[in-house]
Amino acid sequence: MRGKLGAITDMVRSGVAPAALIADQAETAIVEAPNLAGLDEVDEIPPVEQIEATACEYERAADQARGTDRGERAAKKVLDRLPAGTYGTWRVCRTPSSR
């Protein structure tokens, strides 16, 4: 809705004062983003080998977490369909939601 309203406003403005639209675009300046707090300075950057090892470990951990999430969702799907009761050594129970 907001996008359509903006387009309609621009159409009206282009008929009334077309130069105003160009002036609005010309005033937009590119601003360089400041350095984020906590980033290492050039002389503090660890060796490339350490960065590669850390990136590899991060990727392995992220893959493992995704696999765990998939397994959890698959198990929850099965358990959510079961009525409350004892199944082997496991007890399935329902607790009321606080929502």
Side-chain angles (χ1 to χ4, degrees), residues 38-55:
L39 293 182
D40 288 342
E41 296 296 328
V42 174
D43 58 336
E44 299 174 331
I45 295 176
V48 173
E49 295 80 19
Q50 184 180 353
I51 295 170
E52 287 177 333
T54 303

Side-chain angles (χ1 to χ4, degrees), residues 6-77:
I8 292 170
T9 303
D10 286 346
M11 287 184 345
V12 170
R13 287 177 57 199
S14 67
V16 175
L21 289 175
I22 297 171
D24 286 349
Q25 293 173 358
E27 292 174 12
T28 305
I30 297 174
V31 178
E32 190 171 324
N35 285 336
L36 299 175
L39 293 182
D40 288 342
E41 296 296 328
V42 174
D43 58 336
E44 299 174 331
I45 295 176
V48 173
E49 295 80 19
Q50 184 180 353
I51 295 170
E52 287 177 333
T54 303
C56 183
E57 175 62 22
Y58 176 81
E59 183 179 27
R60 186 198 62 74
D63 284 343
Q64 185 178 12
R66 283 190 292 272
T68 301
D69 288 343
R70 283 190 294 270
E72 181 183 357
R73 284 192 301 270
K76 188 172 178 359
K77 190 176 194 179

